[in-house]
Every structure is written in structure tokens, then in C-alpha cells.
């Protein structure tokens, strides 16, 4: 669906040259919600703007639906861009136009008949839950309502791809969740490919299928959200997840107060196993005791997961047998140093 090949973006020249992206490769499948996460200055906004060539890469190729965007002339590029919707952090609405006219704007630009414009705008107002707000102006709307207008406008040309540039960063947590739910519903209803950039792991965890972590202009880790979130490999990824976990006490503080010399063990449950009594049944069979040092249950998109950090008490042989039995039952077991 979307393929970026060796994308680089350099600003300036000579001593003032700045490299925003460096030899970046990325593939995004049809119908996926693909998250790109990174700190400020990592290159994520440049990356998403290279997809629709609002920023033209210095080197590399951008392919969308089998079309090499980087080879298109101006007229062809404008035509292809109609298949790519985009929503922004600060909404970018026309302040002097009504909600209705903001949504109708791209349709008028493309020469859509007036009767079809009216029909389409009403459909989109209903889709984003703003049926009663068509005659209002952006200044009369809340932040969440403005973003819903932005989403409706982006969908007006019936795109194949929706790019979201920090679309929830200016919103409060409750409004953020409602916008994420709307994007998830749109993805399901239209099989729309969504590329979403953010610096918030909560956003990735809530709706994304795949995630790429960008740092200093390159992708340092990527894969299914559950894999990356539950077993992060890169220090930048671990930092994002640690900030998201909101668990005040560090593992060192927790284990420092525990008696005994056994190492803590992180046990991860995914899917239906999250709610099964696997741990208690296993320790009854192996004859060990355990103390829970830390734990949480949450969801990744719609899939439940749980993580426990425990300290087992028993003979080395019994503890080892416990770890092996837990692993055989499909749990991820990690002895922590």
C-alpha cells in the first residue's frame, strides 16, 4: 500500500545542513492503522509529510498503491494527493467559513456537482457526529469538534490513506479517546489505511496495529504493537513505555525491600490468558510460593494483556520448573537482572 525506500531529507547546505531523515525504509499494509512514535525533533513530522510530498525527499522513493509519487509531475501529483487525506494537530480550518463550507471546500476545488456536495457533506457531518453544527464557525466549536471537522474534510475526497499529524496532541485525554475511537470506527467501516504520528504511547496502544519508533531520522524498532510494547528492544522504545506505565516505584526500590535473594520475574499474559488463573494453578503443582511486586492489566487496541513482576520462593529446581511450565502454557517469562 505505502512503501518508502531509502528516504532521506536534508535541509540547508554546507555548514548549515541539517539531516531530518536518513536512509529510511518503511512498508505499511492496506487497511492498517500504522503508528509512528518519536520524541520532538526525531523526524516524524517530516516523515509523514514526505508521504504526500508536502515535503519532497532529498533522496529515495515514495510508492502509494503502486504509483511512484516522487516521479510525478505537478498535475499528476495533485490528482494523486486527492487519494490522501490529512488531519493536523491545530486543525487548519478556514476560520471565516462555516463547518459545512470547511468540509465542502475540497469537493468544490475538485469540481464536484453542487447536489453531490450537499449530499456528501451531510453524510460526513453524520459520520463525525456534528449533524447539528453545520452552520457554526470554527470559533464556536470545542477542540474535539474542530478535529472532527478536520476528519470530515479529510474524508470528503474519499481517500485511500489518512495521514494524522499529531492529531490528538492539542486535546484533553477524554477528547483524545473519543477522536481515537472515531478513527478506529472509520478504519473498520472504510478499510482506510491510517498513518498516525505521535509522541504518546497511549495513542499507539489504543488503536494501532503496527508501530515504528523513529529516532534521529531513522527507524530504530518496528513491528506489531503487542510485540514492541511488551518486549521493547531499543532504549528509546523502553523510555516511551516506562513513561506510559505510570508505576511510581522502580523495580530496584521494590526488590530492595523484599526478603530473599531470588531474582524478580516478569510474566506477560496476552489475550484470553490474561484472565485465566494460570499462575496460581502452576505454583500449586510445583510447590513454590510467590510475592507480587508489581502488576497491571490493560489492552492493546482491543486485545487484553497483563504483566506481573513476581518473586518466587522455593528451591532452585522448583522455581525453574515453574518458569518452564508457565512458558509451556504460552506466557512470556523473563528473569530480570
Amino acid at each position: 500500500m505505502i512503501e518508502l525506500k531509502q528516504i532521506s531529507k536534508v535541509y540547508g547546505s554546507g555548514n548549515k545542513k541539517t539531516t531530518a531523515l536518513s536512509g529510511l525504509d518503511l512498508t505499511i499494509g492496506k487497511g492498517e492503522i500504522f503508528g509512528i512514535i518519536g520524541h520532538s525533533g526525531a523526524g516524524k513530522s517530516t516523515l509523514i509529510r514526505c508521504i504526500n510530498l508536502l515535503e519532497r525527499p532529498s533522496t529515495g522513493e515514495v510508492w502509494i498503491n503502486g504509483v511512484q509519487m516522487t516521479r510525478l509531475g505537478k498535475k499528476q501529483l495533485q490528482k494523486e494527493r486527492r487519494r490522501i487525506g490529512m488531519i493536523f494537530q491545530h486543525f487548519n480550518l478556514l476560520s471565516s467559513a462555516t463547518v459545512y463550507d470547511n468540509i465542502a471546500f475540497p469537493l468544490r476545488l475538485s469540481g464536484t456537482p453542487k447536489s453531490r456536495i450537499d449530499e456528501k457533506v451531510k453524510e460526513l457531518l453524520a459520520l463525525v457526529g456534528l449533524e447539528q453544527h453545520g452552520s457554526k464557525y470554527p470559533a464556536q466549536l470545542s477542540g474535539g469538534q474542530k478535529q472532527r471537522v478536520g476528519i470530515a474534510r479529510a474524508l470528503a475526497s474519499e481517500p485511500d490513506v489518512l495521514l494524522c499529524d499529531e492529531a490528538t496532541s492539542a486535546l484533553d485525554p477524554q477528547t483524545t479517546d473519543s477522536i481515537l475511537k472515531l478513527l478506529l470506527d472509520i478504519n473498520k467501516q472504510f478499510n482506510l489505511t491510517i498513518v498516525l504520528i505521535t509522541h504518546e504511547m497511549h495513542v499507539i496502544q489504543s488503536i494501532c496495529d503496527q508501530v515504528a519508533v523513529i529516532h534521529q531520522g531513522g527507524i530504530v524498532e518496528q513491528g506489531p504493537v503487542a510485540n514492541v510494547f511488551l518486549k521493547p528492544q531499543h532504549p528509546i522504545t523502553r523510555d516511551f513505555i516506562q513513561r506510559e506505565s505510570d508505576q511510581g516505584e522502580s523495580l530496584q526500590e521494590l526488590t530492595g525491600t523484599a526478603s530473599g535473594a531470588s531474582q524478580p520475574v516478569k510474566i506477560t499474559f496476552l489475550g484470553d490468558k490474561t484472565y485465566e488463573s494460570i499462575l496460581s494453578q502452576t505454583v500449586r503443582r510445583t510447590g513454590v510460593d510467590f510475592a507480587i511486586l508489581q502488576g497491571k492489566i490493560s489492552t492493546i487496541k482491543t486485545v487484553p494483556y497483563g504483566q506481573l513482576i513476581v518473586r518466587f520462593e522455593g528451591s532452585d529446581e522448583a522455581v525453574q520448573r515453574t518458569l518452564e511450565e508457565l512458558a509451556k502454557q504460552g506466557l512470556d517469562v523473563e528473569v530480570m537482572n
Side-chain angles (χ1 to χ4, degrees):
M1 177 60 183
I2 300 174
E3 190 172 4
L4 308 182
K5 299 180 179 180
Q6 288 295 293
I7 295 296
S8 296
K9 179 63 180 178
V10 178
Y11 296 99
S13 60
N15 294 333
K16 295 184 178 180
K17 185 167 64 175
T18 301
T19 300
L21 300 173
S22 179
L24 187 147
D25 293 309
L26 199 62
T27 300
I28 299 171
K30 172 68 176 172
E32 286 184 343
I33 303 181
F34 195 104
I36 299 169
I37 189 167
H39 292 300
S40 296
K44 56 187 185 297
S45 289
T46 301
L47 172 58
I48 202 168
R49 291 168 67 86
C50 281
I51 294 176
N52 61 2
L53 269 65
L54 287 178
E55 294 279 1
R56 184 168 284 275
S58 302
T59 62
E61 300 175 0
V62 177
W63 292 78
I64 300 180
N65 275 336
V67 176
Q68 188 178 164
M69 303 287 286
T70 37
R71 283 190 176 177
L72 299 180
K74 185 176 180 181
K75 191 171 183 179
Q76 289 174 300
L77 181 57
Q78 287 177 338
K79 181 180 178 181
E80 289 297 324
R81 275 190 181 140
R82 291 175 191 155
R83 302 168 67 185
I84 307 171
M86 190 165 187
I87 59 176
F88 304 87
Q89 177 179 0
H90 296 297
F91 321 124
N92 288 17
L93 302 180
L94 301 171
S95 60
S96 59
T98 64
V99 168
Y100 182 103
D101 288 333
N102 266 279
I103 298 171
F105 182 69
L107 295 169
R108 290 172 178 150
L109 281 181
S110 64
T112 304
K114 186 175 180 180
S115 59
R116 176 57 183 152
I117 290 175
D118 187 63
E119 179 184 358
K120 187 65 178 177
V121 171
K122 288 177 179 176
E123 287 176 6
L124 290 167
L125 284 169
L127 178 69
V128 300
L130 295 177
E131 299 98 317
Q132 309 303 317
H133 299 274
S135 60
K136 291 183 179 178
Y137 289 86
Q140 298 173 282
L141 304 178
S142 67
Q145 289 171 331
K146 290 176 184 177
Q147 195 57 284
R148 287 173 181 268
V149 177
I151 292 170
R153 181 184 59 187
L155 295 177
S157 57
E158 299 181 355
D160 300 318
V161 176
L162 180 62
L163 306 179
C164 305
D165 187 0
E166 294 277 13
T168 60
S169 295
L171 306 176
D172 62 75
Q174 185 175 0
T175 306
T176 291
D177 288 342
S178 71
I179 294 297
L180 293 178
K181 183 180 183 304
L182 176 60
L183 291 174
L184 187 58
D185 290 343
I186 289 168
N187 168 257
K188 290 178 180 177
Q189 185 172 342
F190 301 108
N191 196 31
L192 185 68
T193 303
I194 298 178
V195 184
L196 188 153
I197 70 166
T198 183
H199 61 272
E200 300 172 293
M201 199 66 197
H202 164 72
V203 172
I204 301 293
Q205 183 184 346
S206 296
I207 67 168
C208 292
D209 304 298
Q210 302 275 331
V211 61
V213 183
I214 187 170
H215 179 60
Q216 296 181 346
I219 301 298
V220 296
E221 187 167 358
Q222 69 180 92
V225 174
N227 292 356
V228 173
F229 188 83
L230 298 177
K231 290 189 72 67
Q233 302 300 309
H234 195 275
I236 292 295
T237 314
R238 290 196 290 269
D239 178 61
F240 275 116
I241 292 168
Q242 184 176 356
R243 290 169 184 266
E244 179 65 27
S245 67
D246 194 29
Q247 292 173 329
E249 293 180 281
S250 70
L251 180 61
Q252 185 176 5
E253 290 171 329
L254 287 165
T255 56
T257 60
S259 61
S262 61
Q263 290 178 295
V265 177
K266 181 192 289 184
I267 304 171
T268 301
F269 307 75
L270 190 62
D272 293 340
K273 288 183 170 61
T274 304
Y275 303 112
E276 296 176 7
S277 56
I278 297 173
L279 179 57
S280 60
Q281 291 176 17
T282 301
V283 296
R284 279 201 297 270
R285 288 195 300 271
T286 59
V288 303
D289 292 323
F290 67 94
I292 296 176
L293 306 179
Q294 203 175 75
K296 67 177 295 185
I297 291 178
S298 189
T299 57
I300 296 175
K301 199 169 182 180
T302 57
V303 179
Y305 79 94
Q307 281 192 326
L308 290 178
I309 297 176
V310 304
R311 177 172 48 80
F312 289 112
E313 299 172 353
S315 68
D316 290 346
E317 182 182 350
V319 170
Q320 183 59 36
R321 189 166 67 252
T322 302
L323 300 181
E324 291 172 357
E325 285 205 23
L326 291 172
K328 284 179 182 177
Q329 295 180 76
L331 305 187
D332 187 83
V333 180
E334 177 188 356
V335 178
M336 308 181 72
N337 296 320

